[in-house]
Amino acid sequence: MSGKPQTLRHAADLARAGLVDVAQVPDLERVAARYAVAVPPALADLIDRSDPLDPIARQFIPQTEELDQRPEELLDPIGDGAHSPVEGIVHRYPDRVLLKAVHTCPVYCRFCFRREVVGPGGMGSLTANELESALAYIAAHPAIWEVILTGGDPLILSPRRLSEISKRLAAMDHVKVLRLHTRVPVAQPELIDEELLAALKESGKAVYIALHANHAREFSKSARLACARILESGIAMVSQTVLLRGVNDDPDTLATLMRTFVENQIKPYYLHHPDLAPGTSHFRLTIEEGLAIVGALRGRLSGLCQPTYVLDIPGGYGKVPIDSHYVVRRLDGSYKVTDPEGRDHRYPPRRPTR
Ligand SMILES: *Cc1c(COP(=O)(O)O)cnc(C)c1O
Ligand code: SF4
């Protein structure tokens, strides 16, 4: 065996690495048989083994709570299936599609909203024919302005395969933007190299990378360098975070995370309310709790650091912002506007009376 650290994929591997108790192995093997496990070296290194509440461990180390499935939970929590005209495409909004070329990830998040389809036991990657049909669908729909590569994690595709997709998109004039949702810059930063970035740029589109990170400690030195390489190549970055109990469900932790994004030139984009994915009730908060946490960021943090807190409506009805309570229409046609300190104001203001 070489000494090169490997991704941990079994409960026994996690025990050998000191990340779980040996006594837990049989139970955790049952979890791993249901939902894929992968903890790459870059993330295993970040876990504080002396802290039973470590927010990195909580995101990636399987827990027996995952076997507790609740009646309100859904196998397809955001309704991808309702909008999939061909394999690998989700077309819910007229101007953009998801292209899911691959269903594996460098790490498996325990709260994943696509946990039923990602992983080695999931749907697998698109075959060459399926990818062909998916690309033909995009080519045949001139209203598609943006292609969003997601999955799975598109940045684990080889530069050669990314370059093939890029070249095909380059020939579609109506597609102006290529966006990739990924965890690779924090989970496997060594994959972000010149060859991979060059492959994305072959698309000739405006390229955006949406980085999924949930805690500031995910920004190791190598993760920061990977982000810097992306930005230096001319690709813009935005963020994506899931609000999770025990990981980032307090204003200080979230504030530090949002500032860390901005310090790394990543514009905070979405903060997702956790989806009703199976076996994830231990991560879930109520919307009321979420609003209290997000409300505490308003007024306290730079506007650059403010994400939009969104709910993906179960059933495939799309994402909506959930902080709209700041502005409420009144019966007389005016609006009640709430400021960051919770004080209400009328808009438009009444004329000052003398
Ligand atoms: C989230 C999502 C998108 C992207 O939505 P944005 O608001 O543009 O980030 C597109 N299609 C589907 C099906 C989605 O779930
Ligand atoms: S990286 Fe994304 S798709 Fe993959 S397991 Fe995590 S949340 Fe799910």
Side-chain angles (χ1 to χ4, degrees), residues 326-328 330 335-339 343-347:
Y326 284 109
V327 179
V328 178
R330 286 181 166 139
Y335 292 85
K336 177 171 76 89
V337 187
T338 308
D339 73 22
R343 292 168 305 213
D344 291 340
H345 307 269
R346 185 184 192 275
Y347 183 89

